[in-house]
């Protein structure tokens, strides 16, 4: 069985020292090993941004695509070969601005893909513009007078879009993050894991210390029932989305792969491509 | 007896024009006639004039006709809009309910049949299309049993009572008109057909068939006119082969999902029209840059913007060739017949994998939606070639090395492994990368990788990249066209030949990379060149000029009013030129 070290490659990340994304990378590597994957059984599909580089830093199959489109690509991979474990990942701009349409629909579609968002409330790669996750009043290069748009709540959106797995974590809590990614991988359906992953270079407000002060861990509520949709929505609203842990999981709903008529157990990529003469003639006969 | 005839039915959209046309043509196909259909419709679902025209012939035809023999009209608007198309002595079969009149200057025979009245008598005005088609079928003197069989198939699912009622409607329509006309019309008596049933389909169905035969097992797409039938066909068929269709949230998702699936090893396609293609451009670049196979069908329609969504045009060629930023290898192929729709799809999937490039198959609306007879499609010519896809086991990689997915090879195509394969791990990125897929900004690497990718397609030529219909060294004019226009030109040429005008004719099927060496000999020997296209700026003519010159010889004939060329227009343009 592979250890987390086997999920490392020798590519040196070009992230700034202290960037939250390092921990996310480590957590994915650990989670993959913990659930018993071999590197070739994992495909990490990422978008564009500082965070999007993550697929290149993990020894697994990986595709670094275009801005905002990690999810449709990842879903294509999963449709093609459901035997692979597919992780999609990227930044909050990638997933909640340019790619928001895909996020909502990937949630609805419920293909078995684990989506990890590195949420730093800012655009890192393009050097510090506002993101849909930026707080109102937040000053950035593109909002010199402070952001005047409402902050988007991905957790509420996910819940209302019918998510079957919603979790949130924090880069500093490697243990919780690793466990949640493992749970997400094991979940049969789409899982969203939003990770507070501080940008130390461009976001001087939402820092590690700020998060430590402002987030509540769901462990503090022993009675919390993550299978209760209403309780989950209440908790998200009560905490203004500043909570970590497994927020909601619906184990009863089948994944897209299991619902699609005629969809094979074995990866589509392994199906025979040729038609028999008989199959071909049968198709033609319908046009007579 | 005559060997060919044109029949048209028109009314308000949603009034049964489609289903009447379907049953009428199915019955004709049973008798073995060659058919070629043309749909005139608007973007509305209900209301608005719509008509379907069928050309019926005892020999193969691939064009609509200039004129019309029989017009079946559900309303006066249909007569007013279409009667001028009727030839001398043509026939109108119309509903007596609206007291039809023949417009001034039209010499047609009018049969006013109580279409609605008969249908209502039988229980529902819905059956008026059956009364009307029965009447026009009877005028042609064709066997009623064959027609009834088609009716049975159309309504069989709804039970014998419904079938019976419809058969009765047909009989009543036929009876009424035969009495009025005193029997079938001699001048419209068709020579018997060969009795061999042809395949009868629209281009979009041929595309769907070709995709399945070509190994496509997944389609991701977003609905749009005139592409949706491809998705609708595959939704019905792919699950039977373990495949599936995903209706995505938009065309960006459709194209990128197809990229993900192709990367992971399934032959996957998407299909759209101009607006969707515009949205896919960035994804096409990703496919080109990461050398991930991708097959896209563009069913061209009237642009720009929403343009004329239900009308004919061939105006996406520039966008398909130049649309993506940066420079990538790709193939743009334009089938020109229904058979080519099938074969080109098989080839598209092969080329996409053999060359590891995006392939765009561009039809036009008339080819995609015109229902027509199709030659036998040959099972034995279908071959699946997956190119340099690595199968079997790979040797272990050295520590910290990845599989050289982008290995520099002689022809630029590198071995490709699918995710899941042991010892095949590599990186894929739209960022410039080295042979293992690692991002690289090295100038030396950049130049090598650009050359590698772009050189792959230098010698790429699809089957019949330039299709030669007729070669004549001493021709007065060489006619060059693309897409569905070829059949119309052939028809015009028959008339021109009768007049003693010598013409040559080629169809350009490969738009990019441009098959200059295949086209050049034809241009060289031509006295004059006429390039016919359904767009306003002469995109094909410009491609020819850009690649080969011949500016002084080329005369561009353009039509961009939303309708395909008619044989008479081609004939006239040729006559004017010489
Ligand atoms: C279509 C397109 N538009 C814009 C960009 C430029 N761009 C690259 S990354 C990015 C946003 C990065 O922010 P985020 O997704 O939050 O990721 P981070 O860098 O913060 O990890 C933008 C706007 C692009 N690459 N593609
Ligand atoms: S700019 Fe911010 S997000 Fe990007 S690497 Fe640096 S710290 Fe991380």
């Amino acid at each position: 069985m592979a250890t987390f070290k086997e999920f490392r490659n020798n590519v040196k990340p070009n992230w700034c020292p202290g960037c939250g994304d390092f921990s996310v990378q480590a957590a994915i590597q650990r989670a993959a090993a913990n659930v018993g994957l071999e590197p070739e059984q994992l495909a990490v599909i990422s978008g564009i941004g500082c965070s999007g580089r993550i697929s290149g830093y993990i020894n697994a199959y990986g595709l670094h695509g275009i801005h905002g489109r990690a999810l449709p690509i990842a879903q294509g991979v999963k449709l093609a070969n459901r035997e692979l474990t597919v992780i999609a990942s990227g930044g909050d701009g990638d997933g909640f601005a340019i790619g928001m349409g895909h996020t909502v629909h990937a949630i609805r579609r419920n293909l078995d893909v684990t989506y990890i968002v590195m949420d730093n409330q800012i655009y890192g790669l393009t050097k510090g513009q506002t993101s849909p996750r930026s707080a109102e009043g937040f000053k950035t290069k593109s909002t010199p007078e402070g952001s005047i748009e409402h902050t988007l709540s991905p957790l509420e959106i996910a819940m209302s879009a019918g998510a079957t797995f919603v979790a949130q974590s924090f880069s500093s809590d490697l243990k919780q993050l690793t466990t949640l990614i493992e749970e997400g991988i094991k979940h049969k359906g789409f899982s969203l894991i939003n990770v507070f992953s501080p940008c130390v270079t461009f976001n001087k407000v939402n820092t590690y210390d700020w998060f430590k002060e402002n987030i509540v861990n769901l462990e503090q509520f022993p009675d919390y029932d993550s299978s209760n949709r209403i309780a989950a929505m209440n908790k998200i609203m009560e905490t203004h989305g500043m909570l970590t842990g497994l927020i909601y999981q619906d184990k009863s709903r089948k994944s897209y792969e299991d619902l699609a008529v005629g969809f094979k157990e074995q990866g589509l990529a392994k199906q025979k491509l040729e038609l028999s003469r008989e199959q071909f003639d049968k198709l033609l006969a319908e046009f007579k | 007896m005559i060997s060919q005839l044109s029949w048209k039915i028109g009314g308000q959209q949603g009034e049964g024009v489609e289903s009447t046309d379907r049953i009428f043509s199915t019955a004709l196909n049973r008798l073995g006639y060659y058919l070629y259909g043309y749909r005139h419709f608007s973007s509305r679902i209900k209301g608005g004039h719509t008509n379907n025209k069928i050309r019926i012939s005892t020999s193969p035809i691939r064009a609509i006709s200039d004129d019309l023999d029989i017009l079946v009209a559900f309303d006066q608007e249909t007569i007013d809009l279409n009667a001028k198309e009727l030839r001398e002595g043509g026939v109108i079969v119309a509903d007596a309910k609206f007291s039809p009149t023949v417009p001034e200057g039209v010499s047609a025979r009018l049969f006013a049949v109580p279409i609605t009245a008969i249908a209502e008598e039988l229980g529902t005005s819905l059956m008026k299309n059956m009364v009307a088609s029965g009447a026009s079928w009877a005028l042609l003197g064709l066997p009623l049993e064959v027609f009834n069989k088609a009716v049975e198939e159309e309504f069989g699912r709804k039970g014998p009572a419904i079938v019976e009622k419809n058969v009765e409607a047909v009989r009543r329509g036929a009876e009424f008109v035969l009495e009025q006309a005193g029997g079938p019309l001699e001048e419209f008596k068709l020579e018997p057909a060969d009795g061999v049933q042809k395949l009868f389909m629209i281009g979009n169905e041929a595309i769907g068939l070709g995709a399945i035969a070509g190994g496509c097992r997944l389609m991701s797409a977003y609905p749009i006119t005139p592409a949706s039938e491809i998705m609708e066909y595959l939704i019905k068929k792919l699950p039977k082969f373990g495949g599936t269709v995903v209706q995505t949230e938009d065309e960006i998702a459709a194209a990128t999902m197809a990229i993900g699936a192709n990367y992971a090893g399934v032959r996957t396609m998407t299909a759209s029209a101009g607006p969707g293609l515009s949205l896919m451009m960035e994804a096409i670049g990703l496919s080109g840059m990461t050398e991930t196979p991708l097959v896209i069908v563009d069913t061209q329609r009237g642009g720009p913007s929403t343009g004329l969504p239900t009308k004919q045009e061939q105006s996406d060629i520039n966008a398909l060739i130049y649309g993506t930023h940066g420079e990538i290898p790709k193939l743009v192929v334009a089938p020109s017949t229904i058979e080519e729709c099938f074969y080109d799809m098989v080839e598209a999937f092969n080329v996409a994998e053999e060359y590891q490039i995006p392939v765009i198959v561009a039809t036009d609306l008339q080819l995609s939606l015109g229902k027509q007879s199709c030659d036998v499609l040959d099972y034995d010519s279908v071959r699946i070639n997956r190119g340099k896809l690595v199968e079997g086991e790979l040797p272990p990689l050295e520590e910290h090395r990845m599989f050289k997915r982008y290995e520099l090879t002689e022809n630029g195509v590198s071995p490709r492994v699918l995710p899941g394969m042991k010892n095949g791990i590599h990186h894929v990125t739209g960022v410039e990368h080295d042979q293992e897929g690692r991002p690289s900004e090295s100038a030396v690497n950049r130049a090598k990788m650009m050359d590698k990718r772009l050189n792959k397609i230098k010698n790429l030529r699809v089957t019949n990249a330039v299709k030669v219909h007729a070669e004549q060294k001493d021709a007065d004019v060489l006619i060059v066209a693309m897409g569905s226009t070829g059949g119309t030109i052939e028809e015009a040429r028959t008339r021109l030949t009768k007049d003693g005008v010598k013409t040559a004719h080629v169809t350009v099927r490969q738009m990019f990379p441009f098959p200059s060496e295949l086209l050049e000999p034809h241009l060289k020997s031509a006295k004059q060149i006429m390039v016919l296209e359904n767009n306003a700026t002469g995109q094909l003519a410009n491609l020819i000029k850009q690649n080969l010159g011949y500016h002084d010889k080329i005369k561009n004939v353009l039509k961009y009013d939303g309708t395909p060329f008619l044989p008479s227009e081609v004939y006239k343009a040729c006559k004017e030129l010489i």
Side-chain angles (χ1 to χ4, degrees), chain A residues 19-248:
Chain A
C19 175
D21 297 351
F22 282 103
S23 305
V24 179
Q25 176 200 341
I28 292 175
Q29 288 163 329
R30 280 162 199 264
N34 291 351
V35 299
L37 291 175
E38 296 297 327
E40 67 269 12
Q41 295 173 317
L42 174 66
V44 181
I45 313 301
S46 59
I48 300 296
C50 295
S51 46
R53 286 292 184 119
I54 199 162
S55 58
Y57 304 152
I58 294 172
N59 186 42
Y61 280 93
L63 196 157
H64 175 229
I66 44 179
H67 193 29
R69 321 300 170 197
L71 277 175
I73 297 173
Q75 292 171 86
V77 173
K78 187 69 189 182
L79 282 164
N81 189 350
R82 62 192 294 186
E83 292 161 47
L84 291 169
T85 292
V86 180
I87 290 179
S89 56
D92 47 316
D94 201 71
F96 304 142
I98 191 167
M100 189 67 203
H102 305 309
T103 302
V104 171
H105 291 280
I107 290 170
R108 287 180 58 227
R109 202 168 281 130
N110 201 35
L111 263 153
D112 191 359
V113 168
T114 302
Y115 185 33
I116 302 168
V117 182
M118 286 155 266
D119 179 2
N120 55 15
Q121 294 83 23
I122 196 143
Y123 284 11
L125 190 69
T126 44
K127 300 189 166 48
Q129 299 84 5
T130 189
S131 127
R133 291 285 296 135
S134 300
E136 278 179 62
F138 186 54
K139 287 190 177 168
T140 67
K141 282 188 185 149
S142 58
T143 51
E145 306 293 330
S147 171
I148 51 172
E149 292 177 32
H150 183 67
T151 311
L152 199 89
S153 168
L155 303 178
E156 286 173 39
I157 289 174
M159 290 302 299
S160 60
T164 55
F165 186 107
V166 181
Q168 189 158 261
S169 191
F170 176 33
S171 282
S172 290
D173 193 346
L174 188 61
K175 191 160 155 275
Q176 182 201 46
L177 179 55
T178 306
T179 312
L180 287 173
I181 296 174
E182 286 171 35
E183 294 302 316
I185 291 174
K186 285 189 229 157
H187 177 72
K188 295 208 174 339
F190 188 83
S191 40
L192 169 69
I193 304 169
N194 192 56
V195 186
F196 295 128
S197 178
C199 169
V200 294
T201 305
F202 295 111
N203 191 335
K204 305 293 185 193
V205 176
N206 310 107
T207 60
Y208 284 96
D209 287 342
W210 184 88
F211 280 112
K212 276 180 196 142
E213 249 165 61
N214 285 284
I215 51 182
V216 282
N217 190 322
L218 279 172
E219 276 171 18
Q220 290 172 23
F221 310 97
D223 295 336
Y224 183 76
D225 175 9
S226 62
S227 69
N228 184 329
R229 199 157 179 259
I230 295 171
M233 200 62 160
N234 278 337
K235 197 51 106 191
I236 294 168
M237 290 187 162
E238 270 167 38
T239 58
H240 302 284
M242 296 302 292
L243 71 174
T244 63
L246 174 59
I247 299 163
Y248 180 69

Side-chain angles (χ1 to χ4, degrees), chain B residues 143-159:
Chain B
L144 218 53
E145 321 80 75
V146 180
F147 196 84
N148 287 341
K149 188 93 203 308
V151 173
E152 212 179 296
E153 271 161 40
E154 174 87 10
F155 298 105
R157 275 177 302 132
K158 299 185 179 167

Side-chain angles (χ1 to χ4, degrees), chain B residues 252-519:
Chain B
I252 298 176
T256 48
M257 195 178 280
I259 289 173
N262 274 298
Y263 158 69
V266 173
R267 289 191 160 192
T268 307
M269 69 177 288
T270 184
S272 190
L277 260 291
S278 294
L279 288 183
M280 291 179 192
M281 287 303 167
E282 193 190 10
I284 294 171
L286 177 69
S287 157
M289 181 60 156
T290 59
E291 306 191 47
T292 307
L294 176 64
V295 174
I296 300 176
V297 175
D298 175 25
T299 57
Q300 298 178 82
R301 66 184 210 185
S305 190
T306 305
L308 290 173
T310 61
K311 304 283 181 239
Q312 165 75 359
E313 208 161 271
Q314 301 171 325
S315 57
D316 292 351
I317 302 302
N318 283 346
L320 300 181
I321 295 176
Y322 306 112
T324 299
H325 65 276
E327 295 152 310
I328 55 159
K330 64 164 103 154
L331 169 68
V332 181
V333 60
S336 66
T337 64
I338 192 135
E339 292 83 4
E340 286 169 19
C341 285
F342 173 84
Y343 294 114
D344 284 354
M345 284 308 287
V346 177
E347 191 164 6
F349 280 102
N350 285 338
V351 167
E353 286 207 309
E354 285 174 59
Y355 292 81
Q356 303 174 7
I357 53 168
V359 173
I360 303 174
V361 179
T363 67
D364 52 45
L365 186 133
Q366 174 54 19
L367 183 56
S368 268
L369 296 187
K371 198 165 180 177
Q372 51 179 299
S373 303
C374 169
D375 283 343
V376 177
L377 299 174
D378 180 20
Y379 173 80
D380 292 317
S381 71
V382 175
R383 290 267 177 287
I384 288 178
N385 184 346
R386 306 202 66 180
K388 287 199 189 171
L389 187 67
V390 178
E391 276 166 280
E393 289 197 3
L394 288 169
L397 294 164
E398 279 168 47
E399 213 195 337
H400 296 316
R401 294 248 65 100
M402 292 194 282
F403 180 81
K404 281 195 183 173
R405 168 69 184 90
Y406 301 104
E407 191 179 338
L408 296 167
T409 62
E410 209 168 310
N411 65 0
V413 183
S414 317
R416 173 169 161 248
V417 296
L418 302 180
M421 199 163 189
K422 201 171 163 64
N423 302 321
I425 286 179
H426 59 274
H427 193 45
V428 176
T429 173
V431 174
E432 188 57 273
H433 43 265
D434 66 15
Q435 297 187 63
E436 296 177 7
R438 291 169 209 256
S440 163
E441 288 183 352
S442 138
V444 176
N445 177 74
R446 163 68 171 178
K448 278 189 184 156
M449 283 294 166
M450 283 299 283
D451 291 343
K452 162 199 180 354
R453 287 187 296 265
L454 295 173
N455 285 339
K456 284 194 294 188
I457 56 160
K458 276 236 165 97
N459 299 316
L460 167 55
R461 295 292 178 265
V462 297
T463 310
N464 274 334
V466 171
K467 182 164 120 179
V468 184
H469 298 261
E471 225 171 347
Q472 285 201 49
K473 285 276 170 289
D474 56 344
D476 303 307
V477 52
L478 164 71
I479 311 175
V480 184
M482 59 183 162
S484 64
T485 317
T488 310
I489 297 170
E490 279 306 286
E491 189 133 342
R493 284 189 59 245
T494 315
R495 292 182 217 174
L496 289 161
T497 309
K498 275 188 199 145
D499 290 2
V501 180
K502 288 193 191 136
T503 52
H505 175 202
V506 298
T507 292
V508 180
R509 290 181 8 91
Q510 182 171 323
M511 302 297 156
F512 187 85
F514 199 72
S516 297
E517 79 292 350
L518 298 174
L519 188 60

Side-chain angles (χ1 to χ4, degrees), chain B residues 122-134:
Chain B
L122 289 169
T124 162
S125 66
L126 280 178
M127 282 190 308
K128 63 185 193 179
N129 52 350
M130 288 299 108
V131 183
S133 46

